[in-house]
Amino acid sequence: MRSEPEGLTGHVLDLDAIYHVLDAKSDYGREIVRQSVLRNTTLLLPAVAAQCMTGLRPRQADALLAVPVVTIGGLPAADVPGTAQLSRKMAAGLERHARGVSTQSELVAVLAAAHAVVLAEARGGWRIVTSTPHLYDEISGVRLEILP
């Protein structure tokens, strides 16, 4: 695992974590955003998740994206093969555990989770904030911050 560049830190929010925050499902989710602002630490949204969020909830998306520490992590062409491979591995893991990917929204969540892993690894192992930790069962070395 690569070491984190000095002075840069943050969390990657997967799709379910983004909706958890937007829906104010817990004080913990709000506190992650508040502490990130206070400490000037990045909240990185995978592009797949951000696109989904802006398409389905444009006003809430605008509000979240207006938070100064929130940014979108792109999916450059070089990262597409790795993200696709992780997506297949995650989907296969869900199928093995009788939680198969059955809807388009679940497929998007898997793609966003795979992109979150790529983003977290590229930043030296940032934690991925999620409310669906089972998505990551097949991926070793991932650091999760699980929302209640």
Side-chain angles (χ1 to χ4, degrees):
M1 188 169 286
R2 290 177 259 171
S3 64
E4 187 173 294
E6 190 171 324
L8 297 177
T9 188
H11 291 86
V12 181
L13 276 67
D14 71 7
L15 183 61
D16 293 311
I18 292 169
Y19 286 131
H20 187 100
V21 168
L22 292 179
D23 294 339
K25 287 186 176 178
S26 72
D27 291 337
Y28 192 83
R30 283 190 298 272
E31 191 62 19
I32 287 174
V33 175
R34 189 177 85 74
Q35 287 297 320
S36 293
V37 170
L38 289 173
R39 294 181 175 153
N40 199 31
T41 58
T42 301
L43 290 175
L44 190 59
L45 312 181
V48 173
Q51 182 65 36
C52 186
M53 172 188 70
T54 56
L56 295 175
R57 300 183 183 182
R59 277 188 267 195
Q60 286 179 306
D62 288 345
L64 183 59
L65 292 170
V67 175
V69 296
V70 173
T71 191
I72 297 173
L75 184 58
D79 287 344
V80 171
T83 301
Q85 182 179 15
L86 285 168
S87 296
R88 284 190 299 274
K89 189 174 186 179
M90 294 167 107
L94 291 175
E95 288 176 19
R96 273 194 299 281
H97 299 314
R99 295 184 186 133
V101 178
S102 60
T103 66
Q104 184 175 354
S105 64
E106 289 171 324
L107 177 59
V108 171
V110 168
L111 291 170
H115 188 203
V117 171
V118 169
L119 291 171
E121 287 177 349
R123 282 150 184 83
W126 283 9
R127 281 190 172 85
I128 299 170
V129 180
T130 186
S131 61
T132 52
H134 65 273
L135 290 177
Y136 303 90
D137 285 350
E138 301 298 313
I139 310 300
S140 61
V142 175
R143 296 173 57 207
L144 300 177
E145 182 132 357
I146 302 169
L147 294 166

